[in-house]
């Protein structure tokens, strides 16, 4: 069985973004597109209703592209366990209240036993300074925090 990956909203943003002269954003876009093209088939990919809600916003044409990419993805349930763990993340870690949806993403991936959560959100999700606390909170509730990482970290050989 292949490893599992929760695809967070920012990944879809980089997959469908318009070209930019910002070198960092352009590099992240290229890395994301390369991962999508060459590596994603090595994993079982999942998302959630929270991602669908976020990618449906903004420019209608690009939102439609993002929704089309996710059309056949299995959705992880945002059940009471997910909501409860997300609440604990917000209460007990340094995640700010405005990161509520980010906490939902992390909790969904955790409760449903994902191996990885793939994101470009390094402020609230793939943040080394908060991961230890999120892992501790997860263990307190009998879960193992997935590896929270960017596509660059899952490029493989």
């Amino acid at each position: 069985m292949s490893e599992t990956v929760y695809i967070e909203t920012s990944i879809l943003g980089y997959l469908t973004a318009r070209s930019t002269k910002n070198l960092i954003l352009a590099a992240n876009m290229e890395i994301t597109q390369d991962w999508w093209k060459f590596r994603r088939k090595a994993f079982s990919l999942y998302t959630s209703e929270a991602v669908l809600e976020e990618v449906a916003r903004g420019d209608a044409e690009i939102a439609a592209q993002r929704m089309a990419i996710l059309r056949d993805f299995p959705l992880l349930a945002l059940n009471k366990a997910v909501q409860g763990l997300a609440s604990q993340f917000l209460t007990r870690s340094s995640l700010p209240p405005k990161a509520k949806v980010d906490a939902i993403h992390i909790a969904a991936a955790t409760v449903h036993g994902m191996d990885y959560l793939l994101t470009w959100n390094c402020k609230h999700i793939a943040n080394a300074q908060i991961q230890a606390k999120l892992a501790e909170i997860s263990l307190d509730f009998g879960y193992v925090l997935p590896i929270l990482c960017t596509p660059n970290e899952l490029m493989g050989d």
Side-chain angles (χ1 to χ4, degrees):
M1 185 171 176
S2 62
E3 292 179 300
T4 54
V5 176
Y6 178 93
I7 300 294
E8 185 266 338
T9 311
S10 61
I11 300 301
L12 285 301
Y14 278 99
L15 278 176
T16 58
R18 294 186 173 102
S19 63
T20 179
K21 292 184 180 190
N22 179 310
L23 295 178
I24 293 171
L25 293 178
N28 289 352
M29 288 166 53
E30 186 171 335
I31 290 165
T32 304
Q33 291 162 0
D34 285 351
W35 185 87
W36 199 259
K37 184 176 181 181
F38 301 114
R39 292 286 295 149
R40 75 179 159 110
K41 289 186 172 93
F43 303 94
S44 296
L45 307 181
Y46 296 83
T47 197
S48 72
E49 192 68 43
V51 173
L52 294 181
E53 288 176 17
E54 287 183 306
V55 301
R57 297 182 193 141
D59 179 278
E61 183 180 325
I62 294 176
Q65 290 174 18
R66 293 187 296 252
M67 292 297 286
I69 291 169
L70 294 175
R71 184 178 22 246
D72 297 323
F73 274 50
L75 297 179
L76 301 180
L78 301 180
N79 55 28
K80 286 183 181 178
V82 170
Q83 299 294 332
L85 187 58
S87 177
Q88 290 295 316
F89 286 159
L90 289 167
T91 303
R92 295 178 50 195
S93 77
S94 58
L95 283 175
K98 68 179 181 180
K100 182 179 182 196
V101 178
D102 298 331
I104 294 285
H105 294 313
I106 300 165
T110 302
V111 167
H112 292 287
M114 298 286 103
D115 295 306
Y116 303 96
L117 185 160
L118 200 63
T119 185
W120 279 111
N121 179 339
C122 297
K123 185 171 188 174
H124 297 139
I125 300 178
N127 180 318
Q129 291 186 300
I130 64 167
Q131 284 191 42
K133 187 63 179 174
L134 295 174
E136 177 187 309
I137 296 165
S138 297
L139 283 175
D140 286 350
F141 290 87
Y143 300 111
V144 175
L145 186 74
I147 296 170
L148 311 176
C149 61
T150 67
N152 206 29
E153 297 169 283
L154 278 186
M155 284 304 282
D157 297 333

